[in-house]
Amino acid sequence: MRDLPANARHTLRLLPLWAVPGNAALFYLALYMKGNGLDTLSIGVVLSANLYLALVFQLVAGGIINRLGRKQATVVFYFTSWIFPMFIWSVAHDFWLFLAAYLLNASSKVIDISFSLLAIDDATDRQRPRIYAAMKLIITAAGLLTPLIGVSMEHFGSVSALRVVYFVGGVSMLVHVLWYRRVTTETEAGSTAMEAHGTTGVLRSIGPNLRLFGRACRSPLLLPLIGLYILTSVGWQLNVFQAVYLSEALDFSDRVISLFPAFGAAVSLLCYFLVMPRLRGTSSERYMLAALLLNVLGWSVFLAVSRGTLTLLLVSAALTAAGHFLTEAYRDAILVGRVAAEDRAGMFSVVQGSAAVAAIPCGYLAAVLYEARPLLLFVVILATYVGGSVCALLLLRTSRSGAAAEAAPAGDKEVAGAE
């Protein structure tokens, strides 16, 4: 990390304090709610309510970040979106407490943008995929510790063990944000955005951001990227019942299920250290297409997994882990590279907002599909990655044909030109 900007180095070094408890919290949350007596449809309502409020935060995130700055927005909303919910989850026992915690967690849409921009604003185009990949690597590598949680769940019971996980996670995240606030500094792009948009009201920022999004949707380069972003986000949001499916439908033990994210984390490590250093000499769009095709293959294999077929499950886990890791590394890096520095927060806000609109019914839809036929849910997830692959192919073709020049119409500063 020696050649990376200071903010990127500090972000990566401190990220495990969030990643270890956060990774476990999200992976086991549906199972934890089930253990506390919530039925499948109630879980779906909680998840969908989170997505509704997340849409609101997504639409105003750009205005909030431009007004407060990358650093201050991250610190403030870290408390509301993670620290407070973790402590609530640690004592939650009914629908209303889970709903309250998940509604607070919806404000994480602000720090999803501000946190990553603080890390990559000062980096070069070549460094950004590395930084995104390293952040994703740390988050997924935290899954290597989930077998320990699986052992404790078998010994103490799933609910009791997870209550401890959520409480300790809240303490870890509190240490993280206080330390992070001390060592990071506002970026040059963040200061520029504050000067340009800092006096604009948060709600009034929605209009300019939507106009920026409209121009992006008319760009042959950016429109497929937006479609890809939406489809991959929906696919990720739908996948909330995988741990439940492995437990209930395929009868895998808690210990085996806890190995699932750990195995995926190991695959991500291999991707970062062995695969990404060799991905040079061609376009990022090509790598993104290959990553999405890995997802398609991985979910296809998952549909063939039956009781006791651990080998197929591991093959599926390897393919989807590699595909998801590489997709996120290149997807966000490409988007950042296409947008002017002072408009990155606004562009991310509306692009992720469009993904949030599409994802609003995902929690309830996932519950309905799972109740109707568990395997049907994963067929739909596969379809989102097939659609994403088509978008990536279109993006690659327009980039090759030179249509990237149209990504920044004359006189528009908002959308930067492509490579």
Side-chain angles (χ1 to χ4, degrees), residues 20 24 28 141-158 161-162 164-165 254-262:
V20 172
Y28 285 114
L144 292 169
L145 297 178
T146 55
L148 297 178
I149 298 174
V151 171
S152 64
M153 287 168 63
E154 287 190 346
H155 186 71
F156 298 105
S158 60
L162 289 174
V164 174
V165 169
D254 286 341
R255 184 171 296 184
V256 171
I257 295 172
S258 70
L259 291 172
F260 194 71

Side-chain angles (χ1 to χ4, degrees), residues 232-299:
T232 53
S233 297
V234 167
W236 177 255
Q237 291 287 349
L238 285 172
N239 187 28
V240 295
F241 288 106
Q242 189 174 45
V244 176
Y245 176 73
L246 293 175
S247 175
E248 292 184 349
L250 300 185
D251 202 28
F252 285 107
S253 67
D254 286 341
R255 184 171 296 184
V256 171
I257 295 172
S258 70
L259 291 172
F260 194 71
F263 183 73
V267 172
S268 297
L269 282 166
L270 293 177
C271 285
Y272 186 77
F273 290 111
L274 298 181
V275 178
M276 288 194 73
R278 293 170 171 78
L279 298 182
R280 298 175 181 174
T282 188
S283 67
S284 295
E285 290 85 355
R286 182 186 294 273
Y287 300 142
M288 194 161 58
L289 174 60
L292 285 162
L293 292 175
L294 285 176
N295 277 300
V296 170
L297 183 58
W299 283 108

Side-chain angles (χ1 to χ4, degrees), residues 366-387:
V368 170
L369 291 172
Y370 188 83
E371 283 286 300
R373 186 179 178 187
L375 204 60
L376 181 60
L377 171 61
F378 302 102
V379 172
V380 174
I381 293 173
L382 170 62
T384 64
Y385 286 104
V386 171

Side-chain angles (χ1 to χ4, degrees), residues 165-236:
V165 169
Y166 288 114
F167 180 79
V168 173
V171 174
S172 177
M173 290 180 184
L174 179 60
V175 172
H176 179 205
V177 73
L178 295 177
W179 196 347
Y180 176 86
R181 181 178 180 273
R182 183 176 181 179
V183 297
T184 56
T185 57
E186 185 58 66
T187 67
E188 182 179 348
S191 298
T192 301
M194 290 171 71
E195 291 176 4
H197 307 292
T199 58
T200 304
V202 171
L203 294 179
R204 293 182 63 184
S205 68
I206 297 175
N209 288 344
L210 290 177
R211 288 193 290 273
L212 172 63
F213 181 68
R215 281 189 286 270
C217 286
R218 294 193 296 271
S219 162
L221 175 70
L222 290 177
L223 181 57
L225 182 58
I226 292 169
L228 182 154
Y229 206 108
I230 292 172
L231 286 167
T232 53
S233 297
V234 167
W236 177 255

Side-chain angles (χ1 to χ4, degrees), residues 261-340:
F263 183 73
V267 172
S268 297
L269 282 166
L270 293 177
C271 285
Y272 186 77
F273 290 111
L274 298 181
V275 178
M276 288 194 73
R278 293 170 171 78
L279 298 182
R280 298 175 181 174
T282 188
S283 67
S284 295
E285 290 85 355
R286 182 186 294 273
Y287 300 142
M288 194 161 58
L289 174 60
L292 285 162
L293 292 175
L294 285 176
N295 277 300
V296 170
L297 183 58
W299 283 108
S300 298
V301 173
F302 186 81
L303 295 178
V305 176
S306 58
R307 293 189 179 187
T309 56
L310 184 59
T311 301
L312 277 181
L313 181 62
L314 293 178
V315 171
S316 170
L319 291 169
T320 54
H324 184 69
F325 175 79
L326 295 171
T327 296
E328 290 205 334
Y330 285 101
R331 182 192 66 185
D332 290 350
I334 291 171
L335 182 59
V336 168
R338 302 300 187 265
V339 182

